[in-house]
């Protein structure tokens, strides 16, 4: 979905990437239909080619924390994670057995390392894996951007981890920029509250921006017609886009 505006959010994100803004955690809170997923896609689209990025939809992360390790390792390349790979390998050598014949099996190693153990052992292993993971990230010379969508759909343990230990590690990972979007977002903690900026997405009522959108997409509406759609649909981006496109098809 393409929508109008969100100029300020895009400007600030680009400043963040260019290190002209002193924050590295951007929280995007928005109700359904206000275009947060589109905005994250735009963020990624505007990144310079020399910047590495990983986009994760957290509603797909039903395996929890291991899913994040696996996604990032897969997207950035397994060779960039020698410390994480070594930590996982050490636990596997200690008696845990898992298939290593496919990439799926390799990803599942992370889940296996954290399964079928008591809470104390699991927490200890998770801490070691997290430390190894961030040690690897800090060795990567390029700027990194992680884009997490659907925070409210993440499993509870994963949501707590992202808002706690994960973002605490981000404080000491200078090249890492993190965007987290959702109908709910993490509550700042004392460890990273100086590092974040928050946008609460609102309805888009800017008639000029929507008329420009209409022209760019060759929709057959004048400014008054676009303005009426904005008023009737109360500036809800998803509904405006759907309605304008439907009316345009009906006029063909």
């Amino acid at each position: 979905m393409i929508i109008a505006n969100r100029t300020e959010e895009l400007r600030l994100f680009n400043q963040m990437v260019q290190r002209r803004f002193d924050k590295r955690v951007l929280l995007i809170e928005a109700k359904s239909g206000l275009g947060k997923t589109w905005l994250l896609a735009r963020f990624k689209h505007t990144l310079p080619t020399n910047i590495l990025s990983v986009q994760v939809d957290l509603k797909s992360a039903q395996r929890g924390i291991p899913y994040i390790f696996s996604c990032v390792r897969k997207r950035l390349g397994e060779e960039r994670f020698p410390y994480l790979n070594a930590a996982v390998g050490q636990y596997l050598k200690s008696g845990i057995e898992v298939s290593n014949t496919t990439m799926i099996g390799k990803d599942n190693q992370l889940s296996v390392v954290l399964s079928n153990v008591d809470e104390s052992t699991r927490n200890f292993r998770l801490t070691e894996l997290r430390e190894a993971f961030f040690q690897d990230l800090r060795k990567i010379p390029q700027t990194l951007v992680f884009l997490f969508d659907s925070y409210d759909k993440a499993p509870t343990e994963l949501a707590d981890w992202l808002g706690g230990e994960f973002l605490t590690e981000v404080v000491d990972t200078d090249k890492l920029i993190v965007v987290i979007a959702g109908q709910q977002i993490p509550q700042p903690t004392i460890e990273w509250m100086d590092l974040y900026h928050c946008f609460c997405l609102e309805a888009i009522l800017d008639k000029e921006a929507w008329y420009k959108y209409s022209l760019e997409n060759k929709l057959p509406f004048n400014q008054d017609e676009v303005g009426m759609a904005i008023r009737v649909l109360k500036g809800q981006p998803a509904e405006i886009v759907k309605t304008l496109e439907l009316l345009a098809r009906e006029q063909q």
Side-chain angles (χ1 to χ4, degrees):
M1 180 183 74
I2 300 173
I3 63 174
N5 211 313
R6 301 299 184 219
T7 308
E8 176 62 17
E9 292 85 352
L10 287 162
R11 182 191 64 81
L12 188 137
F13 174 73
N14 289 328
Q15 286 188 336
M16 214 179 251
V17 170
Q18 296 163 14
R19 300 308 173 94
R20 293 192 286 116
F21 185 63
D22 64 350
K23 310 297 183 184
R24 289 190 291 106
V25 174
L26 183 58
L27 305 179
I28 307 289
E29 184 175 16
K31 295 178 181 177
S32 178
L34 288 178
K36 60 179 174 53
T37 299
W38 173 88
L39 184 58
L40 263 64
R42 287 296 300 163
F43 284 167
K44 185 172 183 179
H45 181 73
T46 62
L47 287 173
T49 56
N50 63 325
I51 290 179
L52 301 174
S53 66
V54 178
Q55 190 167 2
V56 180
D57 190 337
L58 295 173
K59 67 174 174 283
S60 300
Q62 296 312 304
R63 282 198 289 125
I65 298 169
Y67 184 81
I68 303 303
F69 293 145
S70 295
C71 276
V72 174
R73 185 170 67 173
K74 186 183 296 184
R75 307 275 171 81
L76 297 183
E78 187 174 343
E79 71 281 357
R80 296 182 189 271
F81 292 90
Y83 291 108
L84 179 62
N85 295 338
V88 172
Q90 190 62 40
Y91 283 123
L92 296 180
K93 288 178 183 177
S94 68
I96 302 172
E97 293 185 2
V98 62
S99 170
N100 193 30
T101 59
T102 67
M103 180 57 72
I104 293 175
K106 188 163 283 192
D107 284 347
N108 280 338
Q109 291 175 355
L110 286 156
S111 297
V112 170
V113 165
L114 297 173
S115 299
N116 301 318
V117 291
D118 60 66
E119 184 177 359
S120 176
T121 301
R122 188 176 190 279
N123 289 339
F124 177 80
R125 291 181 178 181
L126 183 56
T127 297
E128 287 210 325
L129 293 176
R130 187 193 74 234
E131 290 176 351
F133 176 73
F134 274 94
Q135 194 173 0
D136 287 323
L137 291 181
R138 291 175 188 128
K139 295 285 187 182
I140 297 174
Q142 296 99 319
T143 296
L144 303 167
V145 176
F146 290 175
L147 302 159
F148 296 113
D149 196 9
S150 307
Y151 175 79
D152 50 294
K153 298 293 196 304
T156 300
E157 183 193 44
L158 173 56
D160 291 344
W161 182 77
L162 286 172
E165 293 97 324
F166 179 88
L167 286 178
T168 298
E169 291 278 9
V170 172
V171 175
D172 297 318
T173 311
D174 293 338
K175 295 186 291 290
L176 179 56
I177 295 166
V178 176
V179 180
I180 300 178
Q183 295 186 46
Q184 298 173 352
I185 52 176
Q187 293 302 303
T189 68
I190 193 169
E191 289 90 353
W192 56 270
M193 65 169 46
D194 292 335
L195 203 67
Y196 91 102
H197 184 82
C198 180
F199 279 118
C200 294
L201 299 188
E202 303 289 346
I204 301 176
L205 299 169
D206 186 337
K207 184 167 76 170
E208 185 176 334
W210 277 115
Y211 181 58
K212 181 181 178 182
Y213 161 87
S214 182
L215 291 175
E216 289 174 348
N217 288 276
K218 298 180 172 55
L219 300 176
F221 305 112
N222 59 39
Q223 290 193 47
D224 290 338
E225 290 168 331
V226 170
M228 182 178 293
I230 295 170
R231 290 193 299 275
V232 170
L233 299 170
K234 300 179 180 180
Q236 299 295 308
E239 292 301 317
I240 292 173
V241 169
K242 183 169 66 176
T243 299
L244 291 179
E245 290 180 349
L246 177 61
L247 290 173
R249 286 196 296 271
E250 290 179 349
Q251 292 186 25
Q252 290 177 353

